[in-house]
Amino acid sequence: MDPMDQSYTFFVSTARGLEPVLETELVDLNLQSIRPGVGGVSFLGTLSDAYRANLWLRTGNRVLLVLKEFKCANPDSLYKACRSIPWDRYILRKQTFAVDAFTRDTPLLKNAQYAALKVKDAVVDALRSKWGHRPDVDRHEPDVGVSLHAVGGEATLSLDTTGDRLHRRGYGKSRKTAPLKETLAAGLVLLSGWDRQTPLVDPMCGSGTIVIEAALIAAQCAPGLLREGFGFEKWGNFQPSVWKQLVKEARQSDSDTVSCPIIGMDKDWSAVQSARRNAKKAGVQDFVRFVRRDVLDFEPEADRGLILTNPPYGHRLELSEDPQPFYKRLGDLLKHKCKGWTAEIFTGDPNLAKQIELRTSRRIILYNGPL
């Protein structure tokens, strides 16, 4: 069977709380047997489907091809399960590989680093017995990435089709302190229910990630077009013609215009400059506007719109003063100047959110790294 026609199980990881958004994205890509889980969503598909998922997903972190699911009671069972896999089907001579691991509630495996070492030993031993020499490990830029996910006594071993995580779009090199990951910013836009017709404003935009992701969504631009490459491009069975066709179709779907203003504001001039540079790298500079302005001086330019922002809250940024009065003033601004608008506030401190003193229509728990 042609490997491009064979069906595999894939697992797409994401930030906790974004699983429903990711599930919708996979449905929109017409993928099959979609099953939401904790920290990600699985689907059945071909390698071509994995190429397409990497190209189009906005909230996924990695697209993993599942090799084996097994019980993992101790280091020996982990080694044996990994040793039994025919690794020469996936790693070619002279190719490098690396292993990353996530473990939780697995005391017999000590920690993730130890688990990754056991998997690495199993891969090395399997290939050395097949080839007669040891394969090379490259922790920084491997040709093939191997991933272990072990929780309790259950383990999943996968191949990483993505390479660098999907949040690394390629435009975010000019950053302010503690920026949002691009995948999380896109998740905020999609969770907001923004209709792409009403104005969207981030009045504390920092390096512009929320605004840029909104513009990419409005322009129907595949975020993977901004990247330099993917892990699957180094695989022995990579099909360049299939990939080129998918890229061609994605480029043809790009829109030359967007239907509403998308605006970023920040009182820090260097942040505004950073956001403008990032927007240019992302190719959306004609769809967005960045201005230097304090959020407390915000004056809506329309009768309705969406304010979507991630204010500083002290955990990731060092604040020079107590942020509670600022959140109170932010709430006053929303009440007195933004009638008819919807505000979505992403903050890591619920006590600060209460200072806004506006009734919330919903609360959604998300995770920004460990926060």
Side-chain angles (χ1 to χ4, degrees):
M1 177 185 289
D2 188 325
M4 295 306 292
D5 296 328
Q6 185 175 343
S7 183
Y8 303 89
T9 296
F10 295 93
F11 182 80
V12 186
S13 60
T14 191
R16 284 183 295 165
L18 288 182
E19 295 93 342
V21 182
L22 176 58
E23 182 181 4
T24 299
E25 287 197 87
L26 293 170
V27 170
D28 290 344
L29 289 175
N30 295 316
L31 297 173
Q32 304 300 311
S33 300
I34 298 168
R35 291 186 303 153
V38 177
V41 182
S42 65
F43 69 92
L44 290 180
T46 63
L47 291 177
S48 177
D49 290 328
Y51 295 178
R52 195 154 50 95
N54 276 291
L55 182 59
W56 278 101
L57 290 178
R58 302 183 190 279
T59 60
N61 291 329
R62 292 193 297 168
V63 181
L64 302 172
L65 188 159
V66 177
L67 295 177
K68 191 169 188 175
E69 296 176 295
F70 55 95
K71 299 288 184 181
C72 181
N74 53 54
D76 287 340
S77 63
L78 173 61
Y79 175 88
K80 289 177 182 178
C82 297
R83 179 72 168 76
S84 66
I85 292 174
W87 290 104
D88 57 308
R89 292 183 186 176
Y90 311 110
I91 303 173
L92 304 181
R93 293 176 184 269
K94 297 185 179 180
Q95 281 192 319
T96 60
F97 79 98
V99 179
D100 73 79
F102 171 84
T103 62
R104 189 176 71 231
D105 302 327
T106 53
L108 294 177
L109 290 178
K110 297 181 181 178
N111 54 48
Q113 185 176 1
Y114 177 72
L117 181 61
K118 297 300 289 185
V119 176
K120 185 267 293 181
D121 289 344
V123 176
V124 167
D125 292 346
L127 290 176
R128 183 163 46 196
S129 67
K130 189 77 175 180
W131 298 342
H133 64 86
R134 175 189 176 94
D136 291 329
V137 174
D138 185 339
R139 293 187 180 90
H140 302 291
E141 295 185 9
D143 296 315
V144 179
V146 179
S147 177
L148 172 72
H149 186 274
V151 177
E154 305 290 334
T156 302
L157 198 66
S158 307
L159 295 180
D160 180 9
T161 75
T162 299
D164 271 350
R165 306 298 188 263
L166 289 175
H167 75 85
R168 294 176 180 170
R169 309 278 203 240
Y171 69 76
K173 294 181 180 179
S174 184
R175 292 176 176 266
K176 294 296 291 177
T177 305
L180 278 180
K181 286 184 178 179
E182 291 81 348
T183 44
L184 183 53
L188 296 179
V189 176
L190 294 172
L191 276 170
S192 75
W194 180 49
D195 61 7
R196 310 179 197 181
Q197 303 297 317
T198 55
L200 183 148
V201 178
D202 180 355
M204 291 169 277
C205 69
S207 54
T209 309
I210 289 175
V211 170
I212 293 169
E213 289 298 320
L216 292 172
I217 291 169
Q220 297 180 308
C221 176
L225 291 174
L226 305 174
R227 287 169 53 103
E228 294 183 358
F230 293 90
F232 60 75
E233 294 181 75
K234 299 179 182 180
W235 291 12
N237 60 5
F238 173 56
Q239 299 290 319
S241 60
V242 173
W243 176 238
K244 287 179 181 178
Q245 180 61 31
L246 291 171
V247 169
K248 179 181 178 181
E249 293 170 359
R251 293 193 187 284
Q252 290 173 343
S253 76
D254 277 2
S255 174
D256 294 329
T257 60
V258 298
S259 302
C260 64
I262 305 174
I263 302 168
M265 296 165 33
D266 204 285
K267 67 178 182 180
D268 183 345
W269 176 238
S270 66
V272 173
Q273 291 177 308
S274 174
R276 288 175 177 172
R277 287 192 294 267
N278 289 335
K280 186 174 182 179
K281 289 175 186 174
V284 297
Q285 68 273 20
D286 295 333
F287 306 149
V288 300
R289 178 157 54 97
F290 290 104
V291 296
R292 184 184 184 185
R293 187 175 302 161
D294 192 305
V295 59
L296 299 178
D297 296 327
F298 174 58
E299 295 283 349
E301 299 176 1
D303 293 335
R304 64 190 184 97
L306 172 66
I307 295 171
L308 179 60
T309 194
N310 174 215
Y313 50 86
H315 292 288
R316 294 174 65 89
L317 294 174
E318 292 297 328
L319 300 179
S320 58
E321 58 185 39
D322 182 2
Q324 292 195 39
F326 166 76
Y327 274 72
K328 177 69 167 59
R329 292 195 295 271
L330 177 61
D332 291 340
L333 167 76
L334 297 175
K335 279 181 276 191
H336 299 305
K337 291 188 177 181
C338 301
K339 184 178 179 180
W341 283 60
T342 297
E344 304 252 353
I345 310 296
F346 181 55
T347 178
D349 191 329
N351 292 322
L352 288 178
K354 292 177 182 178
Q355 301 303 314
I356 295 175
E357 296 182 344
L358 279 170
R359 187 179 59 180
T360 58
S361 60
R362 61 176 179 166
R363 290 191 177 104
I364 301 171
I365 297 175
L366 298 170
Y367 289 83
N368 189 14
L371 300 178

